[in-house]
């Protein structure tokens, strides 16, 4: 029978529940188990697709086109699982299903209630992850114990655990044991209180994972065990890692979290094979080279808005055994002073929506194109590459995307046919994995090492086909298209060290053990630029 692990959070948000869950999944996989992962988000939005990155960070996209919470990125990257539409449920999604069923008369006149209708729907969502061949389903409950919104999810977990039995479903509670600097002490009270909230609603956590800044003492474990009703050996500390999130699986393995979880679930504890991870960590901690990449975005300082891009750069660093530093630069600031980019070895112009910051991105692109600074344009970034080239090389000074200037005489980027006239915002994008055919003799084909690729998309606008020929004649190569040739997927410039744009989001497919070819290509070119520059200086 499939086993279930529920992860809840207490005291504060932002404790890294997603990383902890994904690390545990990796450890279970390293012991030979097949794990499926999902996240429940208690907010009322039907999906995170229409949410601002300011609120919840980037919107992650899966192969099947689900717009999801960024924690799914951790699951796919750390645990090597493939997520889909069953991997992320919000309260909005759950409620709208129940309401739709009610409208269809499916409840046969019953009074529709939180219990059992909403909780049944949630339990069905848990079971939807239990597919053929899955040994363990891991479900992370977003939010913090005590939130009103997460109550129905926790109630469903209580019922579920009761139905399948406590040997088949366990609850792991991630909590904070804060260090009070003035007193020089760790405090267990907040964790006691958060566990007592769970006790009040009938959930008795089986494992307590404690995030701490400094090592915990025996005394703290004893106290937590006593007050939280958890055996002392199941109070596990997760101290802040020193250098990199890639240290988390190792730390949890040292504390035997995976072993203890398997024992609770009465599953055999097979030998753990973590060689791949140990090698990875060695590469992260002992790099040989380094380079600096500028990320020209518009959510200043908000690294979560570009989470997968940062992760992809570290994957390239792992592949090339180099430290890749990435600095965010507000694109609006570059409109007047793009020469700031000179101090970087490479540049990424990421995806985005809305006009703000676009002119800064275009100015940045003119600069890096002319100066030969390696640059990767992603989605909106590629669209800006096309706009920039049309304006400054083709001489179409008003060229634009109809997203930013609906009246432009030269719509080099325009809505897809099927999107014209659509007013609704949610659920109208080209989403998920689509094939792309690469042109032979392009840098793209060389980097990927094959002719046909699959990449994940999230956009409404497209390269305007009327401008294909003139742009090609002016030197912009169309490096990839949809297999029918209709949609331009990739552009690049010959004679530039690295100037590549893609309409899709490569950052969603980069993995710690399989760095994405476009990011590796960029970082390689950046390392080269740095080396050439330092060579020039010493001669
Ligand atoms: N706003 C652009 C579009 O909708 C780009 C989207 C993106 O960068 N993800 O096509």
């Amino acid at each position: 029978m499939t086993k279930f692990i529920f992860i809840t959070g207490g005291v504060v948000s932002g404790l890294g529940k997603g990383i902890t869950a994904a690390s545990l999944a990796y450890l279970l996989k390293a012991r030979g188990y097949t794990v499926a992962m999902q996240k429940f988000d208690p907010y009322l939005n039907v999906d995170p697709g229409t949410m601002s990155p300011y609120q919840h960070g980037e919107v992650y996209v899966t192969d099947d086109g689900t717009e999801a919470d960024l924690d799914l990125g951790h699951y796919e990257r750390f645990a090597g699982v493939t997520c889909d539409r069953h991997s992320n449920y919000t309260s909005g999604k759950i409620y709208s299903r129940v309401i739709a069923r009610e409208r269809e008369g499916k409840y046969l006149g019953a009074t529709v209630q939180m219990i059992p209708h909403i909780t049944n729907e949630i339990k069905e969502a848990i079971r939807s992850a239990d597919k053929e061949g899955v040994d363990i389903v891991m479900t992370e409950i977003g939010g913090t114990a005590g939130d009103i919104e997460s109550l129905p999810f926790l109630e469903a977990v209580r019922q579920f655990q009761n139905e399948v039995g406590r040997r088949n479903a366990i609850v792991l509670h991630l909590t904070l044991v804060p260090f009070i600097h003035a007193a020089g002490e760790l405090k267990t009270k907040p964790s006691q209180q958060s566990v007592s909230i769970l006790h009040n609603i009938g959930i008795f956590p089986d494992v307590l994972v404690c995030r701490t800044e400094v090592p915990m003492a025996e005394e703290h474990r004893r106290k937590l065990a006593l007050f939280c009703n958890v055996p002392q050996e199941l109070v596990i500390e997760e101290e802040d890692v020193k250098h990199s999130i890639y240290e988390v699986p190792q730390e949890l393995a040292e504390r035997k979290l995976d072993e203890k979880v398997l024992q609770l679930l009465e599953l055999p504890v097979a030998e753990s094979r973590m060689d791949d991870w140990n090698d990875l960590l060695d590469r992260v901690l002992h790099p040989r080279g380094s380079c600096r990449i500028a990320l020209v975005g518009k959510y200043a300082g908000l690294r979560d808005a570009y989470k997968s891009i940062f992760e992809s750069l570290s994957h390239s660093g792992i592949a090339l055994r180099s430290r890749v530093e990435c600095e965010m630069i507000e694109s609006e600031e570059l409109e007047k002073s793009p020469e700031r980019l000179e101090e970087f070895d490479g540049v990424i112009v990421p995806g985005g929506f809305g006009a703000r910051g676009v002119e800064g991105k275009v100015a940045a692109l003119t600069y890096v194109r002319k100066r030969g600074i390696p640059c990767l344009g992603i989605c909106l970034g590629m669209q800006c590459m096309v706009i920039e080239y049309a304006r400054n090389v083709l001489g179409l000074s008003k060229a634009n995307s109809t997203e930013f200037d609906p009246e432009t005489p030269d719509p080099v980027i325009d809505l897809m046919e099927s999107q014209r006239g659509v007013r609704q915002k949610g659920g109208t994008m080209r989403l998920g994995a689509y094939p792309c055919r690469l042109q032979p003799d392009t840098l793209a084909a060389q980097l990927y090492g094959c002719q046909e690729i699959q990449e994940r998309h999230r956009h409404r606008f497209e390269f305007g086909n009327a401008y294909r020929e003139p742009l090609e004649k002016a030197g912009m190569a169309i490096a990839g298209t949809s297999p029918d040739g209709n949609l331009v997927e990739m552009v690049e410039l010959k004679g530039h060290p690295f100037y590549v744009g893609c309409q899709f989001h490569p950052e969603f497919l980069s993995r710690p053990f399989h760095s994405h070819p476009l990011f590796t290509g960029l970082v390689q070119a950046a390392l080269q630029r740095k080396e050439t520059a330092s060579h020039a200086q010493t001669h």
Side-chain angles (χ1 to χ4, degrees):
M1 131 140 219
T2 308
K3 305 280 181 167
F4 296 84
I5 302 173
F6 296 99
I7 317 242
T8 58
V11 183
V12 289
S13 60
L15 285 181
K17 242 187 306 171
I19 296 272
T20 303
S23 301
L24 176 58
Y26 166 80
L27 295 175
L28 296 171
K29 232 183 114 197
R31 290 189 189 269
Y33 290 97
T34 306
V35 184
M37 302 195 74
Q38 59 178 188
K39 166 117 195 246
F40 289 166
D41 280 308
Y43 48 74
L44 287 174
N45 308 60
V46 173
D47 63 46
T50 48
M51 287 169 98
S52 156
Y54 281 117
Q55 302 263 320
H56 275 265
E58 92 181 350
V59 175
Y60 191 76
V61 181
T62 58
D63 275 344
D64 71 352
T66 305
E67 296 179 279
D69 184 82
L70 58 77
D71 271 334
L72 268 68
H74 296 310
Y75 303 166
E76 291 204 330
R77 289 187 283 263
F78 268 60
V81 297
T82 301
C83 292
D84 60 19
R85 68 200 157 85
H86 299 301
S87 313
N88 198 190
Y89 287 88
T90 63
S91 292
K93 201 186 238 174
I94 298 282
Y95 292 170
S96 58
R97 283 178 182 216
V98 171
I99 290 168
R101 273 188 220 216
E102 187 274 334
R103 293 287 82 186
E104 288 165 20
K106 293 268 170 64
Y107 296 116
L108 307 174
T111 308
V112 179
Q113 291 176 299
M114 264 326 174
I115 305 173
H117 301 96
I118 295 290
T119 49
N120 281 350
E121 196 67 39
I122 296 171
K123 286 189 283 181
E124 206 173 293
I126 298 168
R127 289 204 183 85
S128 71
D130 179 13
K131 298 201 189 84
E132 178 119 11
V134 169
D135 303 313
I136 302 169
V137 171
M138 205 184 275
T139 306
E140 177 189 342
I141 316 287
T144 310
D147 296 345
I148 289 181
E149 284 99 337
S150 59
L151 270 176
F153 288 102
L154 294 171
E155 166 61 14
V157 169
R158 183 194 68 77
Q159 294 175 16
F160 193 90
Q161 202 182 20
N162 203 28
E163 282 163 29
V164 300
R166 297 190 59 133
R167 290 171 191 159
N168 298 318
I170 59 166
V171 174
L172 185 155
H173 188 59
L174 183 71
T175 182
L176 175 73
V177 178
F179 182 69
I180 307 299
H181 286 263
E185 261 184 84
L186 279 171
K187 291 292 183 190
T188 61
K189 182 74 89 202
S191 300
Q192 297 174 32
Q193 284 171 339
S194 108
V195 171
S196 108
I197 292 173
L198 291 178
H199 285 173
N200 276 338
I201 53 178
I203 291 184
F204 296 84
D206 301 277
V207 185
L208 215 56
V209 175
C210 309
R211 290 295 315 274
T212 73
E213 216 179 304
V214 298
M216 278 164 49
E218 197 60 20
E219 169 61 12
H220 301 118
R221 263 187 290 277
R222 197 191 55 74
K223 218 165 164 185
L224 282 164
L226 178 69
F227 284 97
C228 301
N229 202 36
V230 175
Q232 198 168 320
E233 67 273 15
L234 292 175
V235 177
I236 294 183
E237 104 187 53
E238 185 185 337
E239 206 188 322
D240 291 353
V241 286
K242 306 243 160 10
H243 310 283
S244 145
I245 55 164
Y246 295 110
E247 292 169 69
V248 177
Q250 256 188 351
E251 188 189 349
L252 295 177
E254 272 163 32
R255 311 248 177 251
K256 299 195 180 349
L257 176 65
D258 50 339
E259 245 178 274
K260 292 175 182 175
V261 160
L262 288 172
Q263 279 159 359
L264 281 173
L265 292 169
E266 297 186 342
L267 287 170
V269 182
E271 195 197 335
S272 175
R273 303 197 150 272
M274 283 185 71
D275 310 349
D276 54 356
W277 201 277
N278 296 337
D279 173 54
L280 177 153
L281 202 55
D282 184 56
R283 287 163 170 271
V284 172
L285 300 180
H286 307 106
R288 297 211 184 102
S290 73
C291 64
R292 286 177 73 218
I293 306 284
L295 182 75
V296 180
K298 70 168 180 180
Y299 302 105
L302 197 78
R303 290 176 84 89
D304 269 1
Y306 302 106
K307 187 90 198 163
S308 293
I309 293 184
F310 285 107
E311 291 301 310
S312 302
L313 285 171
S314 33
H315 303 158
S316 305
I318 291 167
L320 300 167
R321 225 186 223 281
S322 301
R323 198 158 57 101
V324 185
E325 274 173 51
C326 186
E327 198 175 304
M328 282 177 68
I329 301 199
E330 179 70 47
S331 55
E332 277 175 314
E333 286 169 19
L334 290 174
E335 207 174 322
K336 298 223 164 53
S337 53
E339 62 288 345
R340 257 189 79 189
L341 293 173
E342 193 62 42
E343 62 180 279
F344 292 91
D345 309 305
V347 170
I348 291 183
V349 182
F353 294 83
R356 185 173 73 80
V358 166
E359 290 308 318
K361 289 180 178 174
V362 170
L365 286 166
T366 311
Y367 190 80
V368 299
R369 177 173 61 78
K370 290 189 175 159
R371 299 285 304 160
I373 300 176
C375 180
L376 175 61
I378 297 173
C379 207
L380 176 64
M382 173 191 117
Q383 297 176 353
C384 289
M385 282 177 161
V386 175
I387 295 168
E388 193 278 328
Y389 210 73
R391 285 186 193 169
N392 300 326
V393 181
L394 273 187
L396 307 174
S397 61
K398 293 206 161 79
N400 214 331
S401 162
T402 49
E403 180 178 6
F404 317 125
D405 177 7
E407 307 303 327
T408 172
D410 290 299
V412 288
I413 304 293
D414 201 0
L415 272 185
M416 288 182 263
E417 280 309 326
S418 59
Q419 297 293 321
R420 299 217 173 101
V422 177
R423 290 203 175 271
Q424 179 186 335
K425 276 270 190 246
T428 54
M429 274 192 269
R430 183 168 182 241
L431 285 169
Y434 285 94
C436 160
R437 186 161 301 155
L438 301 175
Q439 269 321 107
D441 304 326
T442 55
L443 179 59
Q446 190 192 322
L447 289 169
Y448 278 97
C450 61
Q451 300 253 306
E452 185 150 329
I453 55 168
Q454 288 265 349
E455 291 280 1
R456 296 182 184 173
H457 294 67
R458 182 171 185 253
H459 62 115
R460 290 192 184 87
F461 293 79
E462 295 281 354
F463 187 110
N465 279 334
Y467 295 88
R468 225 195 249 201
E469 214 186 292
L471 280 163
E472 273 186 297
K473 279 204 181 118
M476 177 165 261
I478 309 296
T481 62
S482 53
D484 63 8
N486 262 336
L487 303 174
V488 171
E489 293 274 13
M490 291 192 76
V491 299
E492 63 182 50
L493 289 185
K494 298 244 184 311
H496 189 288
F498 189 104
Y499 196 84
V500 178
C502 52
Q503 186 56 73
F504 46 79
H505 290 271
E507 69 271 27
F508 297 140
L509 284 185
S510 185
R511 301 285 176 263
F513 302 115
H514 305 280
S515 165
H516 192 286
L518 294 183
F519 285 96
T520 318
L522 173 76
V523 171
Q524 181 101 57
L527 289 165
Q528 226 142 37
R529 175 178 155 85
K530 187 175 169 188
E531 200 178 314
T532 322
S534 67
H535 206 250
Q537 254 173 21
T538 49
H539 283 79

